[in-house]
Amino acid sequence: MSTTGAEQGARRDTALRSARVLVVGAGIMGAGIAQVAAQAGQRVALFDAREGAALQARDRLAATFDTLVAKGRLPAAAAAEALARIDAVEQLEQAADCGLVVEAIVERLDVKRELLARLEALVAPDCVLASNTSSLSITALARDMRHPERLVGMHFFNPVPLMKLVEVVSGLRSDPAVARQVFELAGSWGKTAVHARSTPGFIVNRIARPYYAETLALLQEQAAAPETLDACLRAAGFRMGPCELMDLIGHDTNFAVTQAVYEANFFDKRFQPSLVQRELVDGGLLGRKTGRGFYDYADGAGQPSACPAPADLLEPDAATRLVVAGRGALADRLGAALCAAGREYEVDPQSAWCGLRVDGASLRLSDGRCATELGGDVAVFDLPLRDDNGLALAWAAGADASETWQQQAPRWLHLLGWQPLRLRDIPGLVVARTVAMLINEAADAVHQGVCSADGADHAMKLGVNYPAGPFEWLSLWHQLGAPDPAAMLDALDAHYRGERYRVSPALREQAWLRRRATSPETRA
Ligand code: NAI
């Protein structure tokens, strides 16, 4: 009787779910992977090259299960069963019957290749091999394999039991059917899998680079203090600001990932590491683990990243003429705030910019240009991604703005519902330039076939806890009525004149299409 490809695939999926799993490397990641697999009902063999390490890891897992039971997060019987499924093996040969190997050993190409060769000589020809590498190419790992089609990346995030994301990474010779099986398997382990093509940083470690890089660039330009930049990005919905997050990750680790992605991209300026971070690394100011990074973690040093105290702002002076400029959700919000404050205003939906005209002065949503470039009594403000009241929002005044306007502008922002935080006059301020760069990087990843748009959104929300995915931000950006992110990056590119703010061809194309859709008269 003949079977269809779909039936064969389904059989392989079931086979993987009931297979014994060999986890090689019983360090922080390997132990977490063993825990998750065992809790999902798979039999696990845990091996480590260091004598006794696998057994120690199993003992630590026993303690973890006890804690989960004590906290009521896991029934005692389930914990006992999961632990009983994990064998610490002292020889690889003891796991020759496994149907899946996940390797989580030291991050070295030569050592991983050697392990893969050893495994191929040991396991059955249809055993799937997966690597948890976070920075090595799956294509390169597979180079000397006899059956390179059975190798994929299975990239978990730390801590494995808590982080939902698994990037399933395919190299040039990975069999798509194997990637699909591993994708399904990750789902049965309670994870959300996304497919990725093997390229430097895969999805998350690539798209996340600008989150750190833009803040580091702002610090280098003395735009504001770390606590101000952190407060602005927390107000945009990020759980942690970049400075406190880099302090938590450790500057050595974060710098190493940035450097690896930079080198792997042939020193593309878009990924260039920062001198600011280099100095912290060189000085041993690695963050929380050494007691000092951007912030001081010594006893009694206080809350490291508290939002700067709000300025004591008075009501703005009465204006003869107020005009809400632009259209979209932001213009609507400005109008509603003026109404609530009992101020009369006119509207100018045709305005080329979005914001508020106050007699001869203007408060404009950043379009990527400095306030000084716009000239006169202009203040620019950052992209408000959330519409709650009282959130921190960056603003800047031009170098030739009058003293009166420099005093009045934050009072207007306050009346409109924000806690204004002043920055040096830097193009794109904080949130606008950071989110534009995240969107750009995601658009480029999709353009280059690294992942789908949905995959990028899932990956960033689950792999690094972003409040929204890059493509969700892109929709929000347009709803707000903000200038297109491609236009913002072009303005940054014109200002800095380098490769860093190069617009992705995919984002450029979307901007063209959008412009034609929203103003058909621009059709050539
Ligand atoms: P780790 O240093 O905690 O554990 C690695 C373990 O592998 C050690 O116990 C070591 O004795 C063992 N080992 C080294 N060479 C071996 C070999 N030839 N055969 C068997 N065992 C060997 O490292 P960690 O952090 O668990 O990382 C493991 C892998 O996971 C690396 O590829 C890393 O890039 C990747 N990864 C790490 C993440 C993290 O946040 N730590 C996140 C995602 C991936």
Side-chain angles (χ1 to χ4, degrees), residues 24-30 47-50 53 103-108 111-112 115 118 131-136 155-158:
V24 187
I28 179 144
M29 297 302 287
F47 172 79
D48 197 285
R50 193 166 54 82
E103 75 75 18
I105 66 165
V106 62
E107 187 73 340
R108 275 185 43 192
V111 184
K112 286 195 197 273
L115 172 69
R118 242 185 106 189
S131 170
N132 185 46
T133 180
S134 48
S135 64
L136 301 172
H155 184 216
F156 290 84
F157 288 73
N158 189 13

Side-chain angles (χ1 to χ4, degrees), residues 215 219 224-232 234 241-244 294-295 304-305:
T215 281
L219 289 169
E227 55 269 34
T228 301
L229 301 175
D230 275 353
C232 291
R234 276 201 311 272
C243 298
E244 52 184 341
F294 284 119
Y295 301 109
S305 56

Side-chain angles (χ1 to χ4, degrees), residues 298-316:
D299 289 345
Q303 183 68 20
S305 56
C307 192
D312 202 6
L313 289 168
L314 303 170
E315 280 263 309

